């Protein structure tokens, strides 16, 4: 497109952008998703759709599934919902981790959670790391769990922000792929793929977007880009929006990468079981063995470990996983696994990470990031969610909220906007 016009331009075709566009379209408001990638979904991405064992390289769990709005959407699409409890809610494989130690570790996590929620109500924000007991036996592994949940170690996590996170404790999956559900929700929407937005000029009566495929004008814009891109100002605003840049800087993306391995002769492992590579260090992976009962292992790397492995290259993930698995199950195990899929999210130019966390002292940046500008420039995405950040349903909810604000805008000013 060399020149195009729409009522609402939506920058980004992830969960938030798709949700916003679906709501606007259902409300009869012309809109267009402008997506930099050649695919929809953003940080949700199912590969192998239609095959026997599709996998989610991005988000994979319907967290707080009993209230997750993606659940009824998936059901309306005719998807099967797997309600098997997640491996982190059950005992891990006992190899290298005795049952008594698992109980002690779970108590340590419960104590950490209680401290986080108590500290979150205090006047001064502080790093969640301060909730670890000095010299605690399970501190290193608890920090590893933080990297899986937050994408980063506890010293970089705001205790106030973490205390606000809502978790019902119900976590389900979609065997067809969570990313498949999100992408399918965009059926029939107007979309421009492979088209990065470089500039949003909101100085005039209408907004002007400079894209790689030309100029787009709109009455309103919904921006759903990751905080990593906003903080780096990879999309420019005219006039500048320093408050948005600062808010994004306080809400960086952590990192979580998944390596899927094939597993031969897998019958001795219970379906949906788990093992930690090590229980005495933070730089370890978690291994979800036989997800959905499949002949696979989902290896989960996060935080500083994932960042280091991305620098070393994709083979480094496999080498690290094999070394840990051999340590758990013996030298012959190396011949039983082969790499299938991996996506390094930090080196992905349109993500630069996985999901947001608030730095200590920056918990209130989420509200700043989500605030509209001049009642026609709106922001959405998981980082804008006060209680459901880091999740696809948090992204969806903020997309709907932004779409509703835009709908109200047209309801008030339909005669003067773009007419």
């Amino acid at each position: 497109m060399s020149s195009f016009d729409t009522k609402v331009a939506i920058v980004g075709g992830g969960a938030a952008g798709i949700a916003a566009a679906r709501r606007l379209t259902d409300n009869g408001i012309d809109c267009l998703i402008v997506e930099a990638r050649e695919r929809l979904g953003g940080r949700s991405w199912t590969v192998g759709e239609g095959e026997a064992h599709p996998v989610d390289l991005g988000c994979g769990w319907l967290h707080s599934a009993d209230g997750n709005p993606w659940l009824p959407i998936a059901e309306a699409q005719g998807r099967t919902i797997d309600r098997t409890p997640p491996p982190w809610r059950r005992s891990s494989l006992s190899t290298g981790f005795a049952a008594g130690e698992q109980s002690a570790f779970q108590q340590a996590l419960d104590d950490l959670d209680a401290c986080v929620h108590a500290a979150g109500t205090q006047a001064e924000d502080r790093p969640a790391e301060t909730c670890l007991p000095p010299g605690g036996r399970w501190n290193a592994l608890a920090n590893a769990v933080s990297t899986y949940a937050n994408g980063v170690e506890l010293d970089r996590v705001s205790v106030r922000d973490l205390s606000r996170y809502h978790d019902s404790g119900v976590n389900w999956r979609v065997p067809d792929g969570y990313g498949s559900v999100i992408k399918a929700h965009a059926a029939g929407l107007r979309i421009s793929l492979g088209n990065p937005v470089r500039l949003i000029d909101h100085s005039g009566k209408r907004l002007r977007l400079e894209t790689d495929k030309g100029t787009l004008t709109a009455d309103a814009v919904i921006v759903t880009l990751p905080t990593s891109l906003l903080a780096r100002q990879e999309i420019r605003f005219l006039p500048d929006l320093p408050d948005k840049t600062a808010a994004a800087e306080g809400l960086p993306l952590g990192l979580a990468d998944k390596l899927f391995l094939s597993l031969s002769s897998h019958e001795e492992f219970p379906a949906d079981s788990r093992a930690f590579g090590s229980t005495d260090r933070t730089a370890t992976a978690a291994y979800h063995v036989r997800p959905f009962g499949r002949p696979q292992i989902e290896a989960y790397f996060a935080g500083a470990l994932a960042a280091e492995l991305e620098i070393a290259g994709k083979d480094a993930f496999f080498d690290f996983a094999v070394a840990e698995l051999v340590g758990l199950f013996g030298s012959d195990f190396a011949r039983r696994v082969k790499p299938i899929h991996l996506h390094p999210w930090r080196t992905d130019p349109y993500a630069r990470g996985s999901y947001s966390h608030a730095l200590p002292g920056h918990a209130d940046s989420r509200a700043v990031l989500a605030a509209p500008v001049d009642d026609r420039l709106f922001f959405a995405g998981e980082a804008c969610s006060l209680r459901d950040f880091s999740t696809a349903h948090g992204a969806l909810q903020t997309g709907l909220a932004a779409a509703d604000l835009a709908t109200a805008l047209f309801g008030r000013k339909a005669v003067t906007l773009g007419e």
Side-chain angles (χ1 to χ4, degrees), residues 41-405:
R43 287 169 281 164
S44 64
W45 186 18
T46 302
V47 297
E49 289 185 72
E51 298 177 3
H53 303 315
V55 300
D56 279 309
L57 294 179
C59 56
W61 289 90
L62 292 118
H63 294 302
S64 296
D66 48 345
N68 188 319
W70 284 114
L71 177 65
I73 293 171
E75 292 175 329
Q77 293 175 4
R79 311 278 183 173
T80 298
I81 306 300
D82 186 287
R83 291 171 167 80
T84 303
W88 64 85
R89 291 290 182 186
R90 295 176 289 141
S91 296
S92 299
L93 292 171
S94 59
T95 303
F97 202 12
E101 291 183 321
Q102 292 183 43
S103 296
F105 175 57
Q106 185 58 56
Q107 184 60 56
L109 290 182
D110 292 343
D111 292 344
L112 173 63
D113 184 66
C115 176
V116 164
H117 281 84
T121 64
Q122 296 176 3
E124 184 177 355
D125 195 8
R126 54 190 173 99
E129 182 185 45
T130 60
C131 280
L132 293 174
R137 162 68 178 89
W138 300 107
N139 286 1
L141 191 57
N143 223 353
V145 170
S146 171
T147 69
Y148 311 146
N150 303 305
V152 72
E153 290 74 12
L154 289 166
D155 64 327
R156 293 180 57 79
V157 177
S158 157
V159 73
R160 179 173 298 159
D161 188 58
L162 191 56
S163 72
R164 292 172 177 171
Y165 179 74
H166 170 68
D167 180 7
S168 74
V170 179
N171 300 274
W172 296 335
R173 293 171 296 173
V174 183
D176 289 345
Y178 201 170
S180 295
V181 173
I182 294 170
K183 186 179 77 170
H185 196 51
L189 298 178
R190 296 177 61 230
I191 302 160
S192 176
L193 294 176
N195 192 15
V197 175
R198 307 298 182 181
L199 170 71
I200 298 177
D201 183 347
H202 57 108
S203 63
K205 182 177 180 180
R206 304 193 76 218
L207 294 95
R208 179 174 59 86
L209 292 78
E210 296 296 335
T211 83
D212 281 8
K213 295 184 178 180
T215 301
L216 171 65
T217 53
D219 296 312
V221 174
I222 299 174
V223 178
T224 71
L225 297 182
T227 55
S228 51
L229 305 189
L230 296 174
R232 294 159 62 107
Q233 299 186 61
E234 293 194 14
I235 181 171
R236 292 174 46 233
F237 294 93
L238 184 66
D240 289 339
L241 297 176
D243 288 350
K244 299 297 185 185
T245 302
E249 290 173 343
L251 300 168
L253 297 192
L255 182 61
D257 292 329
K258 292 187 278 189
L259 168 67
F260 286 87
L261 304 166
S262 64
L263 173 64
S264 63
S265 303
H266 57 277
E267 291 79 7
E268 78 270 30
F269 294 105
D272 290 304
S273 52
R274 183 180 71 162
F276 291 110
S278 171
T279 61
D280 59 5
R281 65 173 184 262
T282 298
T284 188
Y287 299 93
H288 184 174
V289 183
R290 296 187 61 207
F292 301 108
R294 296 169 178 171
Q296 295 177 341
I297 297 176
E298 180 181 342
Y300 208 78
F301 305 84
L305 171 62
E308 292 170 5
L309 292 174
E310 282 200 18
I311 293 171
K314 289 187 176 182
D315 289 346
F317 286 89
F318 180 66
D319 292 342
F320 189 96
V322 168
E324 287 204 317
L325 291 168
V326 163
L328 292 173
F329 305 118
S331 59
D332 288 344
F333 202 82
R335 293 179 292 182
R336 297 174 58 182
V337 293
K338 294 180 180 179
I340 306 174
H341 295 292
L342 168 75
H343 183 69
W345 285 102
R346 179 148 295 170
T347 54
D348 182 321
Y350 301 119
R352 303 292 183 189
S354 299
Y355 32 78
S356 69
H357 61 279
L359 295 173
H362 292 269
D364 295 335
S365 292
R366 297 195 187 278
V368 175
L369 184 64
V373 176
D374 297 332
D375 285 331
R376 60 184 188 146
L377 181 55
F378 307 102
F379 291 78
E382 55 86 10
C384 293
S385 176
L386 301 183
R387 300 190 67 212
D388 297 300
F389 49 86
S390 79
T391 70
H393 66 275
L396 178 146
Q397 290 163 343
T398 62
L400 295 179
D404 288 345
L405 289 173

